[in-house]
Amino acid sequence: MLTEWVRETSAALLRTGVDRVPALKPLNRLGVDSVIGLELRRRVAAVFGAEISVVRLLRGATPADLAADLSDWLTAEPDAGPATAVPTRAALDLDDPADIERLLDDLDALSPEEVDSLLGRLTDDAASEI
């Protein structure tokens, strides 16, 4: 059931039929990029209240992988809380060339959560300029 939801939602975002989104094919090979990944993450959060990693999508997660992640999240103990704190680089000024240079120097050291956070900030900033 969760796999079908991921397939249907991904197909809608990719503007294709659900039959063209196999459960075991990596979403990045089907055309999911960072923008579509952010929208998929937003929809997952809206429907399930869960966070998915855009980096995981871009590194080859399949609809079945995401469904398994969602299943784990939905069946987790409510009192368990987050397993790890999600670090962010909120202090970075993405308009400051020096901060951007430092970020690029540390790019390989960023966690998937930090990359997701930065992509979200950049997307929010771009949307607010429209």
Side-chain angles (χ1 to χ4, degrees):
M1 186 162 147
L2 288 172
T3 301
E4 287 307 306
W5 184 88
V6 172
R7 289 181 63 224
E8 290 168 4
T9 303
S10 299
L13 292 170
L14 291 165
R15 296 186 177 137
T16 190
V18 72
D19 59 314
R20 303 208 51 192
V21 182
L24 299 177
K25 186 160 187 174
L27 289 166
N28 62 348
R29 289 191 183 163
L30 296 170
V32 171
D33 59 13
S34 59
V35 174
I36 293 172
L38 286 169
E39 180 58 23
L40 181 57
R41 182 175 94 168
R42 187 191 70 71
R43 290 186 186 192
V44 166
V47 172
F48 299 103
E51 295 250 346
I52 61 170
S53 168
V54 174
V55 172
R56 180 157 159 69
L57 291 173
L58 298 177
R59 288 187 176 164
T62 66
D65 294 333
L66 293 181
D69 292 348
L70 285 171
S71 177
D72 290 346
W73 185 86
L74 290 169
T75 59
E77 291 293 321
D79 297 328
T84 59
V86 178
T88 63
R89 299 197 181 220
L92 286 175
D93 178 0
L94 297 176
D95 292 322
D96 181 353
D99 276 353
I100 292 172
E101 193 66 36
R102 280 191 297 277
L103 177 64
L104 291 173
D105 288 342
D106 294 338
L107 195 57
D108 289 337
L110 294 176
S111 70
E113 291 80 10
E114 288 176 306
V115 173
D116 283 348
S117 173
L118 288 168
L119 283 171
R121 285 177 54 199
L122 289 170
T123 302
D124 292 343
D125 289 348
S128 69
E129 290 178 10
I130 297 176

